[in-house]
Amino acid sequence: MTIFGIFFLLSRFQGIGGFSLYEVLLNAAIMNLSFALSELFARGFDNFSYMIGNGQFDRILLRPKSIVLQVLASQIEFSRIGRVVQALLVFAYILPRLPITWDLWHLFTLLVMILATVGMFCNLFS
């Protein structure tokens, strides 16, 4: 819901530090999507100390799958999908309105920005 706060604030002031409404919304959408994806998948590392304490990690060590992948998947929170959908809707709204010609290079840059931010948030959870 921070998107609505940004939208209403910038509809009155027309920009922040030279950035337009759509540029600020793009930044907020990248942050919301990245945080939601990292919270959706990387919450298993947040409870890693509990896994060691109650013996769940011993079961993970016995399985023939990747240990990191099992810890990541140990606590997937599907309740966070709403935040992902909200960020994707904001992307669908603002990308055509930005003064950018969306070619392959710009889409690649956007993807790298999202993946790097997801990695940053995942590191905060571990």
Side-chain angles (χ1 to χ4, degrees), residues 100-114:
I100 298 173
T101 341
W102 289 102
D103 57 357
L104 198 56
W105 178 251
H106 286 100
L107 291 175
F108 175 73
T109 304
L110 182 65
L111 179 68
V112 168
M113 288 169 60
I114 292 169

Side-chain angles (χ1 to χ4, degrees), residues 18-31:
F19 293 103
S20 70
L21 167 68
Y22 299 119
E23 292 167 341
V24 174
L25 283 177
L26 175 67
N27 186 23
I30 289 171
M31 295 304 283

